[in-house]
Amino acid sequence: MKKSSRLIAGLVGLAGLTLAAAAGAQEKPTPGGTLNMIAQPEPPMLMVGLNTQGPTLYVGGQIYQGLLSYGKDLKVLPSLAKAWEVSEDGLTYTFTIQEGVKWHDGKPFSAEDVVFTADKFLREAHPRWRYIANTYIESITSPSPDTVVFKLKRPFSAFLYAFELSSFPVVPKHIYDGTDYRTNPANQAPIGTGPFKFKEWKRGSYIHLVKNEDYWKPGMPHLDELYFRIVPDAASRAVAFEKGTVDVLRGGDVEGFEVRRLSKLQGVTTTTDGWEMYSPLVFMQWNMRKAPFDNKLVRKAIMHAIDRDFIVRNVWFGLGKPAVSPFASTTRFFSDDVSTYPFDLAKAKELIAQSGVKPQEHTIRLMPIPYGTQWDRMAEYVKQQLEQLGFKVDIRAVDAGGWSQALSEWDFDITFNFTYQYGDPALGVARHYLSTNIIKGTPFANNEGYQNPAVDELFLKAASAVDEAEAEAAYAEVQKMITDDVALGWLFEQRNVTIMRDKVKNLVRTGIGVNESMDDVWIAK
């Protein structure tokens, strides 16, 4: 096998970590201490391979790890894999895993765990990996205890971006092999390779993780323990930070107006870094299997009835940017040469009349995502706009588990969702529109039931393209088609702010932000 330039990039990633460590040596980490954070809302489980909601990733990112991580510039960085090689034809990827890694129960980590994770666990349980595995992967083997080889059926240009925590959490074969993955007791008392081990989950109060004394990185982690506090009320979360009960607020933990106020407190620092890999995009998701959302003119009408600028300014306090495409503007191959839907209520009513749909005959169940009052206020605004078109709207409030289950089982009319784009449309965007990804069991697939064979073909063509210009042309065309079909109702690109005490050091270091292993985080005395 010949080594491609991407191997060099991997080695540069290793060097980059060394340089970062040298730069950090100016301040010597203080060992010990407790870091208090908030899990909002309380996650339904901590098994990242089965649930990729934000709170699960936040907590689970300290327990589980992926093969790779990614810098703020989206450079590929090592994690459980210390090096990688890519063949010149782009069909063979060889990973060398870290030495001396142990699971939290003391069992040795090996390449067999990676093969099991990729070929069995995630192929069955993970919507994005299932698509990658079934579409592109020919075989996954382990020729030696520290080597894993992926052979592809066809080139997949985004493959090296498919191994971060939420896409590829490595799970222990000795715990899950031969079991029902979804009911395994380890889902509630997880065992990973990360810097912190699961200690206790007091429902409604906190999740407690403690230092992994046998962690594979020498001298790490620096902290003794992590607490993820469960504080259901947004105002109470702001008070908890102000009083020092918690040290960190991640994006969405408090209201937008509180972000402004708390950021100005003495001894507090903020950053919008750490979302480069995810680029979250918020959208309305409608069930196209039933009226009135099976009518394209109705979907177009709703888009014209929603003032996305108003939502960003008044509901989210400026923490966002109106979306115009299925792609975030920060995602590769983004194009704004698409069908657009400026706010125009008269145009919306005209389209409803053309559609033949009688709005008064439809009662729409609107299910907000249960992540705080800003989502509830957005639901009230959308309800108001839909009612101006003549529809009857009932807001259906659910908890995080109920939302995930309803969307996963297609038991909804319209809801909100926001999903990560993972640096490349083949990973974070295509999953919402491919007809092959209309599957039950996850809220982050093609839950709306959109089908367009031409879109399927273009996504496959772009992802398999060796020439970047060919990929760009295919992605430009697919964006035009999807926006004309109004497969989803794109609202805005999120702009998240992490707020923390000055004493918290090294919290946001990579493009996956606070989901990154906090092994190098420390608290200044």
Side-chain angles (χ1 to χ4, degrees):
M1 177 193 306
K2 294 182 180 179
K3 298 181 180 180
S4 78
S5 59
R6 279 173 282 190
L7 171 59
I8 297 173
L11 299 176
V12 169
L14 286 168
L17 289 188
T18 304
L19 291 173
Q26 295 173 6
E27 282 188 278
K28 186 176 180 180
T30 303
T34 300
L35 187 64
N36 287 281
M37 296 164 283
I38 290 174
Q40 155 56 28
E42 185 168 15
M45 66 167 63
L46 299 181
M47 198 330 136
V48 177
L50 297 175
N51 183 282
T52 56
Q53 289 175 265
T56 302
L57 298 181
Y58 190 26
V59 183
Q62 307 314 311
I63 299 169
Y64 297 100
Q65 294 177 304
L67 275 187
L68 301 171
S69 189
Y70 304 84
K72 295 176 185 179
D73 58 358
L74 298 186
K75 179 181 293 184
V76 184
L77 302 174
S79 185
L80 284 177
K82 65 180 182 180
W84 50 95
E85 300 177 7
V86 186
S87 62
E88 290 292 344
D89 60 6
L91 294 177
T92 303
Y93 290 72
T94 303
F95 293 89
T96 304
I97 65 172
Q98 302 283 358
E99 300 172 352
V101 181
K102 293 182 180 179
W103 295 101
H104 292 162
D105 61 1
K107 301 289 185 182
F109 163 77
S110 77
E112 286 298 322
D113 293 303
V114 180
V115 173
F116 169 77
T117 297
D119 213 20
K120 291 189 177 181
F121 189 100
L122 296 182
R123 187 189 286 268
E124 176 182 324
H126 196 286
R128 291 195 308 282
W129 186 260
R130 177 194 296 120
Y131 166 72
I132 292 170
N134 293 339
T135 306
Y136 293 100
I137 295 177
E138 180 178 300
S139 66
I140 308 168
T141 58
S142 173
S144 67
D146 67 345
T147 306
V148 180
V149 178
F150 294 83
K151 289 189 178 295
L152 306 188
K153 303 173 187 175
R154 61 176 69 91
F156 182 43
S157 59
F159 196 60
L160 272 183
Y161 287 91
F163 292 96
E164 51 82 43
L165 168 72
S166 68
S167 301
F168 198 87
V170 183
V171 301
K173 179 180 179 180
H174 67 279
I175 296 293
Y176 282 96
D177 195 16
T179 74
D180 182 337
Y181 304 152
R182 291 172 175 79
T183 62
N184 193 300
N187 295 340
Q188 300 302 329
I191 295 171
T193 59
F196 295 93
K197 300 188 295 186
F198 176 79
K199 175 69 173 179
E200 181 186 17
W201 187 347
K202 189 173 182 180
R203 302 280 175 168
S205 184
Y206 60 78
I207 301 170
H208 183 199
L209 309 183
V210 297
K211 179 177 183 176
N212 178 7
E213 299 284 359
D214 208 13
Y215 188 51
W216 55 274
K217 292 186 183 180
M220 295 182 181
H222 305 303
L223 297 170
D224 287 334
E225 56 187 353
L226 307 177
Y227 275 94
F228 294 86
R229 307 289 177 179
I230 313 299
V231 186
D233 177 68
S236 298
R237 294 193 291 271
V239 170
F241 181 80
E242 192 167 10
K243 290 187 174 181
T245 306
V246 297
D247 306 304
V248 176
L249 296 173
R250 86 192 261 276
D253 279 352
V254 294
E255 299 273 14
F257 66 86
E258 293 283 31
V259 170
R260 298 175 183 176
R261 183 179 68 84
L262 295 173
S263 297
K264 297 177 182 178
L265 294 177
Q266 187 174 2
V268 169
T269 187
T270 66
T271 182
T272 55
D273 290 352
W275 292 91
E276 295 81 5
M277 184 67 181
Y278 298 131
S279 298
L281 191 147
V282 178
F283 51 83
M284 295 179 291
Q285 196 157 20
W286 32 54
N287 195 335
M288 295 169 63
R289 302 169 184 83
K290 60 176 73 171
F293 302 112
D294 59 346
N295 189 310
K296 182 163 75 169
L297 292 179
V298 170
R299 301 195 299 272
K300 287 178 177 283
I302 293 173
M303 287 296 285
H304 280 297
I306 302 298
D307 187 342
R308 292 181 290 285
D309 287 302
F310 175 88
I311 289 174
V312 170
R313 288 194 315 268
N314 297 286
V315 179
W316 293 90
F317 299 94
L319 297 176
K321 173 183 177 181
V324 299
S325 164
F327 294 24
S329 58
T330 51
T331 298
R332 295 179 71 204
F333 306 112
F334 164 80
S335 171
D336 59 5
D337 182 16
V338 295
S339 297
T340 58
Y341 302 91
F343 176 57
D344 187 338
L345 203 53
K347 176 69 172 177
K349 292 178 179 179
E350 180 184 322
L351 287 166
I352 289 292
Q354 293 175 15
S355 73
V357 169
K358 295 180 172 57
Q360 65 274 15
E361 296 179 357
H362 295 275
T363 298
I364 296 171
R365 298 174 300 161
L366 172 56
M367 181 175 64
I369 190 170
Y371 281 13
T373 54
Q374 285 170 266
W375 295 95
D376 295 335
R377 283 201 300 271
M378 190 162 69
E380 291 289 349
Y381 170 74
V382 170
K383 169 183 164 72
Q384 171 186 302
Q385 299 307 102
L386 290 176
E387 288 176 342
Q388 290 200 56
L389 297 181
F391 293 105
K392 301 173 186 177
V393 181
D394 289 336
I395 293 180
R396 174 189 178 189
V398 293
D399 61 15
W403 174 85
S404 178
Q405 181 175 355
L407 193 50
S408 298
E409 296 297 320
W410 309 337
D411 180 21
F412 71 100
D413 294 338
I414 187 170
T415 187
F416 302 126
N417 203 342
F418 71 96
T419 54
Y420 297 156
Q421 305 227 329
Y422 300 103
D424 194 288
L427 297 175
V429 180
R431 57 189 168 129
H432 293 300
Y433 308 102
L434 290 166
S435 61
T436 52
N437 212 32
I438 300 176
I439 53 173
K440 288 188 174 182
T442 173
F444 304 121
N446 183 346
N447 302 78
E448 70 274 12
Y450 174 68
Q451 297 187 61
N452 185 329
V455 166
D456 290 346
E457 184 179 343
L458 282 167
F459 269 124
L460 186 62
K461 179 180 179 181
S464 300
V466 176
D467 179 62
E468 189 161 301
E470 183 182 350
E472 184 174 12
Y475 280 131
E477 187 64 26
V478 87
Q479 288 173 83
K480 288 181 181 179
M481 287 186 177
I482 292 173
T483 53
D484 182 64
D485 286 341
V486 203
L488 296 172
W490 309 280
L491 295 176
F492 65 97
E493 301 173 23
Q494 283 185 314
R495 181 173 177 265
N496 289 302
V497 181
T498 302
I499 308 173
M500 69 200 94
R501 306 280 171 204
D502 285 345
K503 65 180 181 179
V504 180
K505 308 295 184 180
N506 286 348
L507 182 66
V508 177
R509 311 187 314 278
T510 70
I512 69 171
V514 292
N515 293 340
E516 184 64 80
S517 293
M518 297 183 189
D519 46 22
D520 202 22
V521 177
W522 57 283
I523 298 175
K525 305 301 183 185

